[in-house]
Amino acid sequence: MIVTMQPAATLKEITGVIRVLESFGASPSISRDCGCTLITAATSKVPIDAQQVRSAGGVRDVHEDAHPFKRVSRDYHPEDSVIDARAARFGGGGFTVIAGPCAVENEEQIHTIAAHVAAHGAKGLRGGAFKPRTSPYAFQGMGVPGLRLLRDAARANKLAAVSEVMSIDQVADCVEHLDVLQVGARNMQNFDLLKEVGKTDKPVLLKRGPSSKIEELLLAAEYIVDAGNPRVVLCERGIRTYETATRNTLDITAVPVVKQLSHLPIIIDPSHAAGKREYVYALTLAALAVGADGVMVEVHPTPAKALSDGRQSLHFEEFERLMEDVRRQSEFRASVSV
Ligand code: PEP
Ligand code: MN
């Protein structure tokens, strides 16, 4: 709930409204951004009786929550959030590219990829060390040694290190080595994990679950922000539909919907959405056109030999060509205002 006080409201009236909100278990906060006093009650133990707030002295307007999420809502934070992780900036009008292999495989692989993607404009280096695999017999990732290799390759090329944390007991190692903690699609509603990454000070890249609604994605983000960490970047990575031509169906509409509902940045993962490298170019440019804050793409020097997701990984030359066009189109996007 957002309470707008009358411009001439007295301190006593402001305190009176705060008392009413507190009586519902809320911890209200005050801001004066808009020239008058705004009192926001982002969470409360029981529903707040708006009538009771309206009838308190000095109140001009009471805005009741239209959505179940609060802290991530644009109602509570009208300006876009801008989240920095080393060289990577999410939000604020730019288009940031995170690139790298599906999984860290060895030192040479991750250093070669890091140098290539950095040379062509990526700002983040991805690479799974803890891999959520559908089959228990598939490569499960290198674990902590993989995190170290990723960190060193990222540092050597001035990139932000981005990798997935799959469980609470991996959080400490991930915080130590990474610049961005990725919560994967399969874990989007692992509420204990969300609360735990919410206690850290690292940006969190939260991927949308394959069967999750946008509202559920925003509520998952709300868990992280409510636990104390406001630095959440959302990621649309395709949802499961009846379509089988692609691995998932990219819900490009999620971008304008999220931008309307939330102040958090949102990027697209065209690689996991499509599952085939030949569609990554088109979907990346679509992400740029639709107003996304960036993309995360999989790149490998020899995709045919990749230990995971080779079919959707770009060859080096394909990444280079993609980045040339991203740069051209980004300049065009920046020059157009509608
Ligand atoms: C990944 O990005 O490494 C990954 C496993 O993706 P998702 O969680 O979207 O399936
Ligand atoms: Mn992958």
Side-chain angles (χ1 to χ4, degrees), residues 208-231:
R208 179 180 179 185
S211 306
S212 297
K213 298 194 295 179
I214 293 169
E215 182 175 289
E216 291 165 332
L217 171 65
L218 292 171
L219 282 167
E222 185 85 14
Y223 266 92
I224 301 170
V225 179
D226 189 51
N229 184 353
R231 300 168 79 200

Side-chain angles (χ1 to χ4, degrees), residues 3-22 28 30 32 37-39 52-62:
V3 183
T4 311
M5 300 301 292
Q6 286 166 359
T10 63
L11 192 58
K12 197 168 164 214
E13 287 170 328
I14 293 169
T15 314
V17 170
I18 288 173
R19 292 274 146 70
V20 173
L21 294 170
E22 283 174 346
I30 298 186
R32 291 195 171 78
T37 303
L38 288 183
I39 305 175
Q52 203 176 321
V53 180
R54 260 189 209 102
S55 55
V59 172
R60 187 171 85 187
D61 184 39
V62 173

Side-chain angles (χ1 to χ4, degrees), residues 137-157:
Y137 308 118
F139 176 56
Q140 304 284 311
M142 291 181 70
V144 176
L147 289 179
R148 290 201 188 96
L149 293 181
L150 181 78
R151 177 203 59 197
D152 292 346
R155 291 286 177 279
N157 292 280

